[in-house]
Amino acid sequence: MCWSATADLAAGAGIAAVGVACLARVRRARDLPLAALPLLLGAHQITEAVVWDGGGGTGAATLAWAVVAMPLLAVWVPLGVLLAAPPHARRRLVVPAVLGLAVAGVLSFYLSARTVRAEVRGHTVGYVLDLPDAAVVVAAYLLATLGALLLAGDPLLRLLGGTVAAGAVVCALLWRLEFVSTWCAVAAVASVMLLGWVGRTVREFTPHDAGTH
């Protein structure tokens, strides 16, 4: 994220608290992965605060941050959307879910075979991984994660996808070398919108739903 370790720590703590609130309100088991996303992203920002304090480098915090940002989110977001979607919307969501699994496999391989390094560059952190065809992999990653949200059919999830997509464009234009870090920060802040989504699913929850989940 931009600015400093303190900013990452404060943002991470706030977003993680939203994640706890989401989990406390969720009523359907199939909504749990998406409801937990702010908690995951809040912890992710806190991890980057540790990277800041360590001056970057190749330590455990850098690897943990990269594992969440790269393969884990590539799987978590599209599968979470697929699970939460109503039956009629699931068929079109299989494509981003499968794409996310494929991207996660590629990223996991390179994270295990090569070293990821964090570089503090002024008020941003850049992550360096020798990844062949990086542009193709990043495009597939964004199609899997943002595509799942935009195809969800749920207005709030589409709004979340559009917000993060706009953030991705801004981050790519302003911080090309630090894109992954700054985009993940935007995604973390935008995931606060999931609290509203969870609240709506709670209002829609009925005794009939309770008997079927």
Side-chain angles (χ1 to χ4, degrees), residues 19-124:
V20 172
C22 286
L23 288 175
R25 299 178 70 183
V26 76
R27 293 294 179 269
R28 301 183 304 198
R30 63 190 177 92
D31 294 337
L32 281 171
L34 274 186
L37 185 58
L39 182 60
L40 174 66
L41 291 173
H44 194 222
Q45 294 304 123
I46 293 170
T47 301
E48 191 166 69
V50 178
V51 175
W52 272 102
D53 279 339
T58 59
T62 296
L63 179 59
W65 190 95
V67 167
V68 175
M70 298 179 190
L72 185 55
L73 286 180
V75 174
W76 191 298
V77 174
L79 286 183
V81 174
L82 177 63
L83 288 172
H88 70 270
R90 289 175 188 164
R91 180 174 296 181
R92 65 175 177 264
L93 292 169
V94 170
V95 173
V98 171
L99 182 59
L101 286 169
V103 171
V106 171
L107 291 171
S108 296
F109 171 78
Y110 283 106
L111 281 173
S112 64
R114 302 179 181 183
T115 300
V116 60
R117 183 177 73 259
E119 298 177 351
V120 176
R121 301 165 179 161
H123 292 290
T124 60

